[in-house]
Amino acid sequence: MSQQRTAKSTSWAHDPACRPVGLETELGVLEPGNLYANPVALASRLVDAYAATSRPGLQGADGASAPAVRWDYETEDPLADQRGGHLDRAAAHPSLLTDDPTALAPSGDDPALITAPPTISSQGSHLETPSPTPDLADMPPDPWGSRPRPSAAEAALARATTAVLSNGARLYVDHAHPEYSSPEVLTPLNALIWDRAGEVVSRRAMAALSQQQDGVETVLYKNNVDGKGAAYGCHENYLVRRELPFAALAAALIPFLTTRPVIVGAGRVGLGQRSEQPGFQISQRADYVGCELGLQTTFNRPIVNTRDEPHADSTRWRRLHVINGDANMLEVPGYLKVATTNLLLWYLERAHQRGLGLGVLEGLHVQGDVVEQHWAMSHDTALVFTYNTERGPLTALQIQRLYLETISSAVQEDHGGLDAGHAGEQTSCALSLWAEVLDVLDQLAAAHQPGADPTARTSALAQAAPLVEWVAKLQLCEGLIARAGTGWDDPRVAALDLQWADLRLGRGVAERLNAAGYVRRLTTNAEIEQAADQPPHGTRAAIRGAAVAQFPQVVAASWASLVLDLPARADLLRLKLPQDVACTQAEADALLTAISRTVAAGETLTP
């Protein structure tokens, strides 16, 4: 499926598997041969190296290469809670203050590391939107505002290590890790494409740092744990209609998110947060989940995160910030992670509009400690563990099958069919893949039943491996163990787990499987390479990416704004981007034309 065909297919709003989505992936980083390398310093140098090359061919008025576009933090509010209210900054863990890049968070989860309440940042103050001056008559009045130009002393202060890219994405340092945040997209296929574009950006960043005069070799890993107690996230962000009650949203999400790893988990060698026990499990993040609901993201991690920062029209949308998913190297789970969640959100919004409540999903409430049951499910590669639901004991596969059947029935009722012509290309693909994955995993579960043919498990693993990442990794690890006559505590097995997610070209195990055709592909390499440089159609990311690539006057950006520096003006200019997130090519072109006219007028102004 090509990027262009997907972008121009039936309107995303009529395809249940589609909605505005963005993915964030923190990356493991190390310097080979240097056990004492500082990961924060490595991450900062790596991002800075790529930032210096992030606007190729673009020059400023002085003829020098245009500097990297920095992040505009002023519109961020990470302490708003979906349950209502707003967490006081003085009571917030420093890791939550993502709107203040000067407030560095402790690297661990121990509250004792917090020695004093964080100071309140001056960022985020209200900025009035001025009327256009006669010299800027072409500037549209509504989206333009201003912000004070920083003083020489403010400009000399240390800044966050970050760059906004020409594909509309963001590359930055988050705590001790480089992090790639994809641009906003409207389809699960584009979510996959622009997420995988982050792998291309990562390889370019490694090369950029190594080629510097004092550069070092670094290795980036698209995984979530270091096996020694540290976990770093792969976060999903979905816009959800505000009128859907949060209680209903959370009630449906908890059984869904705690069983979703069975189809999209990346697999992990080691049991427990510090790999206290040898073995293999389904999910990388499961052992690091500690509660059902919460605003926090780096300690006592919740199944359902309650941050409510939509970066969109907050009267219409809330943001669902999913933090317990795995970073995927294979494409089918990377696609299904987004597509199945989109479909569930569509179903919940539909059910609420019709006064149906949770309907069939009501009985999936997990009784007892759902967190401990989530851990147990992840540790059970035989797929026999059962959750204690109100309907009785159900396996993760059975629960996922109930979600699939419930959503499929609703799509059939509303659209008259499940094929692409009726339900939409993405919904048809997602439902088909979801069913196919559950079918092959049912075969794997059956192979573990008493009396099963001894060869059935080998056959089931081979059937599931091209579609399910944790199965593919398990199959390779078991092969190494059999050849070496060793066990799960062999360091070579842990090394294979790490090498699975190695982002160096030709070095990562998963990357080699993708290249060799051993696993199911949904994209092409050409699409992924193109997405590393160009933004997706259909969202405001197209405006952000094009502005970064074309206008050296753009000096900062966020999901919802661009900041321009026109030297003839006393203040910087801020342009609000569309609050609906989705925008047509005509709307994007009109705003880019307005930027071009404003730049031309602003450059001729006298101070």
Side-chain angles (χ1 to χ4, degrees):
M1 287 181 284
S2 74
Q3 166 193 334
Q4 295 295 330
R5 181 160 61 86
T6 302
K8 294 180 179 179
S9 62
T10 303
S11 171
W12 67 273
H14 301 291
D15 190 322
C18 298
R19 70 177 49 235
V21 175
L23 304 181
E24 308 164 348
T25 304
E26 291 180 290
L27 303 165
V29 59
L30 61 79
E31 179 184 345
N34 184 358
L35 296 177
Y36 303 101
N38 184 317
V40 178
L42 281 179
S44 297
R45 291 191 65 189
L46 187 136
V47 172
D48 276 339
Y50 188 71
T53 66
S54 62
R55 306 175 85 181
L58 190 63
Q59 295 181 336
D62 58 0
S65 297
V69 175
R70 300 297 175 180
W71 193 249
D72 175 20
Y73 290 90
E74 291 189 19
T75 58
E76 298 203 357
D77 182 14
L79 302 182
D81 197 305
Q82 294 196 50
R83 295 166 293 185
H86 195 279
L87 181 64
D88 185 79
R89 294 187 72 89
H93 189 282
S95 65
L96 294 175
L97 302 179
T98 55
D99 59 337
D100 186 353
T102 65
L104 297 179
S107 59
D109 296 345
D110 187 353
L113 293 172
I114 308 172
T115 58
T119 58
I120 297 178
S121 170
S122 61
Q123 295 180 342
S125 57
H126 179 67
L127 295 173
E128 295 293 338
T129 301
S131 299
T133 67
D135 298 285
L136 295 178
D138 288 330
M139 184 164 56
D142 176 57
W144 290 95
S146 68
R147 60 175 287 185
R149 186 182 298 277
S151 66
E154 289 171 328
L157 293 174
R159 297 184 297 180
T161 306
T162 181
V164 184
L165 310 182
S166 62
N167 70 345
R170 177 187 178 200
L171 182 68
Y172 59 109
V173 177
D174 187 40
H175 308 319
H177 299 273
E179 180 163 343
Y180 170 83
S181 289
S182 76
E184 311 93 315
V185 298
L186 298 177
T187 72
L189 180 62
N190 278 356
L192 172 65
I193 290 171
W194 268 268
D195 175 62
R196 291 213 61 200
E199 300 169 21
V200 177
V201 170
S202 297
R203 287 193 284 271
R204 293 177 181 176
M206 288 186 281
L209 178 56
S210 68
Q211 291 165 8
Q212 291 184 344
Q213 185 173 3
D214 60 342
V216 297
E217 181 185 1
T218 54
V219 184
L220 293 178
Y221 298 92
K222 191 180 178 184
N223 64 353
N224 300 111
V225 299
D226 68 354
K228 302 175 182 178
Y232 29 100
C234 175
H235 298 175
E236 306 150 51
N237 300 283
Y238 304 86
L239 289 187
V240 184
R241 297 197 179 278
R242 178 70 61 182
E243 59 265 26
L244 175 64
F246 177 73
L249 176 64
L253 281 172
I254 289 173
F256 177 75
L257 291 177
T258 55
T259 58
R260 190 183 65 166
V262 76
I263 61 171
V264 301
R268 175 187 162 205
V269 173
L271 308 179
Q273 291 191 2
R274 291 173 174 80
S275 300
E276 295 90 344
Q277 300 177 44
F280 185 90
Q281 63 176 300
I282 290 169
S283 169
Q284 295 217 337
R285 289 284 277 182
D287 285 348
Y288 299 88
V289 172
C291 65
E292 291 189 25
L293 302 171
L295 190 62
Q296 66 276 6
T297 58
T298 64
F299 62 97
N300 194 28
R301 295 173 180 88
I303 297 167
V304 178
N305 183 262
T306 60
R307 178 179 291 185
D308 189 7
E309 190 183 15
H311 302 300
D313 182 353
S314 60
T315 64
R316 295 179 57 206
W317 302 103
R318 64 160 52 99
R319 173 191 182 188
L320 174 62
H321 188 53
V322 176
I323 69 169
N324 66 335
D326 292 353
N328 289 112
M329 292 296 297
L330 300 192
E331 293 194 347
V332 169
Y335 176 85
L336 284 178
K337 180 169 61 180
V338 173
T340 57
T341 307
N342 278 353
L343 285 167
L344 175 60
L345 296 177
W346 169 82
Y347 174 83
L348 295 174
E349 292 170 344
R350 169 190 182 273
H352 175 69
Q353 290 172 350
R354 302 182 185 191
L356 302 177
L358 294 182
V360 178
L361 302 180
E362 190 78 49
L364 295 182
H365 173 71
V366 178
Q367 299 174 323
D369 192 328
V370 66
V371 172
E372 290 192 358
Q373 293 177 66
H374 181 42
W375 297 341
M377 182 280 299
S378 182
H379 296 181
D380 172 40
T381 58
L383 304 175
V384 298
F385 174 80
T386 57
Y387 286 80
N388 182 24
T389 76
E390 291 179 352
R391 288 189 175 195
L394 293 171
T395 67
L397 288 176
Q398 289 170 329
I399 291 173
Q400 281 291 307
R401 181 76 69 177
L402 284 168
Y403 277 101
L404 170 61
E405 291 173 348
T406 300
I407 293 167
S408 295
S409 294
V411 172
Q412 176 74 39
E413 180 180 340
D414 284 12
H415 294 265
L418 303 182
D419 58 284
H422 288 88
E425 181 180 352
Q426 294 299 296
T427 293
S428 179
C429 176
L431 293 175
S432 176
L433 272 177
W434 197 354
E436 185 179 2
V437 167
L438 289 176
D439 287 344
V440 295
L441 289 175
D442 280 340
Q443 294 178 28
L444 181 58
H448 288 93
Q449 295 299 317
D453 185 333
T455 64
R457 183 176 182 275
T458 301
S459 175
L461 286 172
Q463 290 286 326
L467 300 170
V468 185
E469 187 160 347
W470 70 264
V471 174
K473 185 185 290 185
L474 174 65
Q475 187 183 44
L476 288 180
C477 288
E478 288 185 342
L480 173 60
I481 289 171
R483 291 191 302 274
T486 184
W488 285 107
D489 55 352
D490 190 319
R492 290 173 293 182
V493 182
L496 177 58
D497 188 6
L498 182 63
Q499 193 178 0
W500 178 271
D502 190 330
L503 291 181
R504 291 174 294 180
L505 191 63
R507 300 290 293 272
V509 173
E511 187 263 328
R512 295 205 299 269
L513 293 178
N514 276 317
Y518 288 125
V519 294
R520 181 84 60 87
R521 291 289 303 270
L522 303 176
T523 73
T524 67
N525 291 341
E527 287 176 318
I528 295 168
E529 288 285 341
Q530 182 183 35
D533 296 308
Q534 297 181 14
H537 297 299
T539 74
R540 64 191 179 193
I543 304 168
R544 184 188 312 112
V548 167
Q550 296 175 22
F551 301 108
Q553 295 84 2
V554 175
V555 295
S558 71
W559 303 121
S561 66
L562 297 173
V563 177
L564 281 71
D565 183 357
L566 305 182
R569 291 184 57 86
D571 292 337
L572 301 177
L573 286 177
R574 171 180 277 116
L575 174 65
K576 295 179 184 176
L577 296 178
Q579 286 289 292
D580 284 341
V581 179
C583 82
T584 66
Q585 190 60 49
E587 291 169 331
D589 290 343
L591 207 48
L592 290 167
T593 297
I595 295 173
S596 180
R597 290 175 177 172
T598 300
V599 165
E603 294 288 359
T604 62
L605 287 176
T606 56

